[in-house]
């Protein structure tokens, strides 16, 4: 029996299991109550074959959404555990800004369900934080998720495969060209990891996928660094429109 399992009754006695969203009592430390589970929106079918964007109504299998037709993505697919709504937002804020890093296994399990298995071992690479932001926050939430996903999938987490050479401003409210300028040259591959990335199947991990500008910069850097494929995995995905 693992130590965590042996100590579980004592932990439950001192810290009774509670839903991290509403505080309702639970049977175990991990998970949400049934009402909060019901509040999460999982991406479903039919969806775009390239980016998982859901279609309204019916669509033949293998269709591509209008944004991907207009500009084919660099990535090799998106696996989002949930669509960004209020319950997903609360979980992300608690995890990232509330310091509730114990949520990482729960969020990773949801991402894992969307990502699915692979025939070859995957490398899990987190979206990097600039060192000053990492120092202020104390942890990189994407790196925590990458480690948990690597455990679930039997892969390897390369938390230092990418790094930010310069701090970038908040991209919210910026236009596409402004976001591109802000990110230009900011994210690069760690030279010490190039040999490990060469020919690898990479999963780029983040907590939330918004405009896609940051992930696009990461995907570009990873492919220039030799990665064979790069799939994006996130807990919540922001969709401003549905195809």
């Amino acid at each position: 029996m693992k130590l965590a399992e042996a100590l579980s009754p004592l932990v439950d006695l001192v810290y009774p299991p509670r839903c991290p969203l509403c505080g309702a009592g639970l049977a175990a430390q991990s998970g949400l109550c049934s009402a909060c589970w019901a509040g999460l929106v999982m991406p479903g079918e039919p969806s775009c074959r390239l980016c998982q964007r859901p279609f309204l109504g019916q669509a033949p299998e293998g269709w591509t959404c209008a944004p991907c037709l207009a500009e084919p993505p660099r990535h090799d697919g998106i696996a989002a555990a949930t669509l960004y709504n209020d319950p997903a937002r609360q979980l992300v804020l608690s995890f990232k800004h509330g310091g509730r890093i114990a949520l990482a296994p729960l969020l990773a399990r949801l991402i894992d369900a969307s990502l699915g298995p692979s025939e070859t071992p995957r490398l899990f690479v987190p979206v990097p934080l600039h060192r000053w932001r990492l120092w202020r926050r104390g942890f990189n939430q994407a790196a925590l998720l990458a480690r948990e996903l690597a455990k679930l999938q039997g892969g390897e987490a390369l938390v230092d495969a990418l790094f930010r050479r310069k701090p970038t401003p908040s991209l919210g409210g910026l236009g596409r060209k402004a976001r591109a300028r802000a990110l230009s040259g900011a994210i690069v591959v760690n030279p010490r990891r190039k040999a490990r990335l060469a020919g690898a199947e990479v999963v780029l991990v983040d907590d939330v996928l918004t405009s896609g500008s940051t992930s696009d910069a990461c995907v570009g850097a990873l492919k220039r660094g030799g990665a064979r494929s790069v799939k994006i995995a996130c807990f919540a995905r922001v969709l401003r429109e549905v195809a």
Side-chain angles (χ1 to χ4, degrees):
M1 179 181 293
K2 294 182 179 179
L3 180 61
E5 295 175 353
L7 295 177
S8 179
L10 178 60
V11 173
D12 289 350
L13 178 65
V14 178
Y15 301 102
R18 298 286 181 182
C19 174
L21 283 181
C22 70
L26 297 175
Q29 292 287 350
S30 60
L32 305 175
C33 70
S34 59
C36 290
W37 272 120
L40 295 176
V41 178
M42 313 299 181
E45 296 295 338
S47 64
C48 173
R49 66 181 181 87
L50 294 180
C51 76
Q52 197 195 34
R53 180 186 302 271
F55 291 109
L56 288 177
Q58 298 298 316
E61 184 178 351
W63 267 34
T64 304
C65 68
C68 286
L69 284 173
E71 186 174 355
R74 291 183 181 182
H75 62 69
D76 297 280
I78 295 176
T82 67
L83 299 183
Y84 194 80
N85 63 0
D86 191 57
R89 175 179 174 274
Q90 291 181 51
L91 279 173
V92 169
L93 290 178
S94 295
F95 176 48
K96 182 160 60 176
H97 299 298
R100 300 185 66 175
I101 60 175
L103 288 171
L106 167 64
L107 304 187
R109 287 197 301 273
L110 292 171
I111 299 172
D112 178 60
S114 178
L115 184 59
S118 173
E119 294 181 358
T120 58
R122 288 164 162 159
L123 296 182
F124 293 86
V125 174
V127 170
L129 292 179
H130 186 263
R131 61 181 180 275
W132 293 118
R133 183 170 294 180
L134 180 61
W135 179 79
R136 287 195 299 269
R137 186 174 298 165
F139 62 93
N140 179 354
Q141 73 281 354
L144 296 179
L145 293 175
R147 288 192 175 102
E148 293 296 331
L149 281 169
K151 293 176 188 176
L152 292 169
Q153 294 247 330
E156 178 184 357
L158 285 181
V159 297
D160 61 345
L162 295 173
F163 66 91
R164 292 192 188 231
R165 295 193 296 188
K166 62 180 183 181
T168 53
S170 173
L171 302 180
L174 296 180
R176 180 179 173 185
K177 290 183 178 180
R179 292 195 299 266
R181 285 195 299 269
L183 288 165
S184 179
I187 298 175
V188 296
V189 165
N190 184 342
R192 295 180 300 170
R193 293 301 193 184
K194 279 191 174 182
R196 189 68 189 87
L197 288 171
E201 180 183 348
V202 175
V203 177
L204 178 70
V205 182
D206 206 358
D207 56 337
V208 178
L209 179 64
T210 51
S211 69
S213 298
T214 300
S215 59
D216 190 61
C218 292
V219 171
L222 288 166
K223 290 202 168 182
R224 288 192 297 273
R228 175 173 57 85
S229 66
V230 182
K231 193 166 187 176
I232 299 170
C234 63
F235 169 67
R237 181 180 182 186
V238 177
L239 284 180
R240 292 181 175 85
E241 75 288 325
V242 177

PDB file of all heavy atoms in Angstrom, residues 27 30 37 39 111 115 154 158 208 222 226:
ATOM      1  N   ALA A  27     -16.968  12.354  -0.921  1.00  0.00           N
ATOM      2  CA  ALA A  27     -16.538  11.070  -0.374  1.00  0.00           C
ATOM      3  C   ALA A  27     -15.026  10.921  -0.408  1.00  0.00           C
ATOM      4  O   ALA A  27     -14.458  10.141   0.354  1.00  0.00           O
ATOM      5  CB  ALA A  27     -17.192   9.927  -1.151  1.00  0.00           C
ATOM      6  N   SER A  30     -10.318  13.940  -4.049  1.00  0.00           N
ATOM      7  CA  SER A  30     -10.175  14.365  -5.444  1.00  0.00           C
ATOM      8  C   SER A  30     -11.524  14.364  -6.124  1.00  0.00           C
ATOM      9  O   SER A  30     -12.326  13.438  -5.932  1.00  0.00           O
ATOM     10  CB  SER A  30      -9.225  13.429  -6.198  1.00  0.00           C
ATOM     11  OG  SER A  30      -9.712  12.107  -6.184  1.00  0.00           O
ATOM     12  N   TRP A  37     -19.711  19.216 -11.333  1.00  0.00           N
ATOM     13  CA  TRP A  37     -19.352  18.423 -12.509  1.00  0.00           C
ATOM     14  C   TRP A  37     -20.279  18.756 -13.665  1.00  0.00           C
ATOM     15  O   TRP A  37     -19.854  18.912 -14.811  1.00  0.00           O
ATOM     16  CB  TRP A  37     -19.459  16.930 -12.215  1.00  0.00           C
ATOM     17  CG  TRP A  37     -18.248  16.280 -11.641  1.00  0.00           C
ATOM     18  CD1 TRP A  37     -18.160  15.645 -10.450  1.00  0.00           C
ATOM     19  CD2 TRP A  37     -16.947  16.185 -12.225  1.00  0.00           C
ATOM     20  NE1 TRP A  37     -16.887  15.177 -10.244  1.00  0.00           N
ATOM     21  CE2 TRP A  37     -16.120  15.490 -11.323  1.00  0.00           C
ATOM     22  CE3 TRP A  37     -16.395  16.641 -13.421  1.00  0.00           C
ATOM     23  CZ2 TRP A  37     -14.785  15.229 -11.566  1.00  0.00           C
ATOM     24  CZ3 TRP A  37     -15.056  16.373 -13.678  1.00  0.00           C
ATOM     25  CH2 TRP A  37     -14.271  15.677 -12.762  1.00  0.00           C
ATOM     26  N   GLY A  39     -21.704  21.448 -14.266  1.00  0.00           N
ATOM     27  CA  GLY A  39     -21.481  22.790 -14.775  1.00  0.00           C
ATOM     28  C   GLY A  39     -20.359  22.882 -15.787  1.00  0.00           C
ATOM     29  O   GLY A  39     -20.284  23.866 -16.536  1.00  0.00           O
ATOM     30  N   ILE A 111      -7.793  16.360 -18.721  1.00  0.00           N
ATOM     31  CA  ILE A 111      -7.064  16.562 -19.977  1.00  0.00           C
ATOM     32  C   ILE A 111      -6.709  15.221 -20.600  1.00  0.00           C
ATOM     33  O   ILE A 111      -6.832  15.022 -21.811  1.00  0.00           O
ATOM     34  CB  ILE A 111      -5.792  17.401 -19.742  1.00  0.00           C
ATOM     35  CG1 ILE A 111      -6.141  18.775 -19.197  1.00  0.00           C
ATOM     36  CG2 ILE A 111      -4.997  17.542 -21.038  1.00  0.00           C
ATOM     37  CD1 ILE A 111      -4.922  19.589 -18.746  1.00  0.00           C
ATOM     38  N   LEU A 115      -7.207  13.831 -24.359  1.00  0.00           N
ATOM     39  CA  LEU A 115      -6.010  13.587 -25.167  1.00  0.00           C
ATOM     40  C   LEU A 115      -5.980  12.172 -25.726  1.00  0.00           C
ATOM     41  O   LEU A 115      -5.623  11.959 -26.890  1.00  0.00           O
ATOM     42  CB  LEU A 115      -4.767  13.852 -24.318  1.00  0.00           C
ATOM     43  CG  LEU A 115      -3.405  13.737 -24.992  1.00  0.00           C
ATOM     44  CD1 LEU A 115      -3.274  14.705 -26.160  1.00  0.00           C
ATOM     45  CD2 LEU A 115      -2.300  13.987 -23.963  1.00  0.00           C
ATOM     46  N   GLY A 154       2.415   7.619 -19.156  1.00  0.00           N
ATOM     47  CA  GLY A 154       3.659   6.861 -19.255  1.00  0.00           C
ATOM     48  C   GLY A 154       4.672   7.525 -20.160  1.00  0.00           C
ATOM     49  O   GLY A 154       5.497   6.860 -20.790  1.00  0.00           O
ATOM     50  N   LEU A 158       9.270  17.269 -20.050  1.00  0.00           N
ATOM     51  CA  LEU A 158      10.462  18.101 -20.256  1.00  0.00           C
ATOM     52  C   LEU A 158      10.085  19.533 -19.896  1.00  0.00           C
ATOM     53  O   LEU A 158       9.697  20.322 -20.755  1.00  0.00           O
ATOM     54  CB  LEU A 158      10.936  18.030 -21.705  1.00  0.00           C
ATOM     55  CG  LEU A 158      11.650  16.769 -22.168  1.00  0.00           C
ATOM     56  CD1 LEU A 158      12.063  16.905 -23.625  1.00  0.00           C
ATOM     57  CD2 LEU A 158      12.868  16.482 -21.306  1.00  0.00           C
ATOM     58  N   VAL A 208      -5.015  27.139 -19.881  1.00  0.00           N
ATOM     59  CA  VAL A 208      -6.074  27.733 -20.690  1.00  0.00           C
ATOM     60  C   VAL A 208      -5.528  28.095 -22.063  1.00  0.00           C
ATOM     61  O   VAL A 208      -4.423  28.627 -22.186  1.00  0.00           O
ATOM     62  CB  VAL A 208      -6.641  29.007 -20.019  1.00  0.00           C
ATOM     63  CG1 VAL A 208      -7.725  29.645 -20.894  1.00  0.00           C
ATOM     64  CG2 VAL A 208      -7.217  28.681 -18.646  1.00  0.00           C
ATOM     65  N   LEU A 222       9.086  24.661 -31.132  1.00  0.00           N
ATOM     66  CA  LEU A 222       9.306  23.220 -30.983  1.00  0.00           C
ATOM     67  C   LEU A 222       9.561  22.545 -32.324  1.00  0.00           C
ATOM     68  O   LEU A 222      10.428  21.669 -32.438  1.00  0.00           O
ATOM     69  CB  LEU A 222       8.104  22.574 -30.297  1.00  0.00           C
ATOM     70  CG  LEU A 222       7.949  22.883 -28.800  1.00  0.00           C
ATOM     71  CD1 LEU A 222       6.562  22.485 -28.315  1.00  0.00           C
ATOM     72  CD2 LEU A 222       9.022  22.171 -27.991  1.00  0.00           C
ATOM     73  N   GLY A 226      13.008  20.622 -33.990  1.00  0.00           N
ATOM     74  CA  GLY A 226      13.109  19.243 -34.455  1.00  0.00           C
ATOM     75  C   GLY A 226      11.962  18.335 -34.088  1.00  0.00           C
ATOM     76  O   GLY A 226      11.971  17.151 -34.468  1.00  0.00           O
TER      77      GLY A 226
END
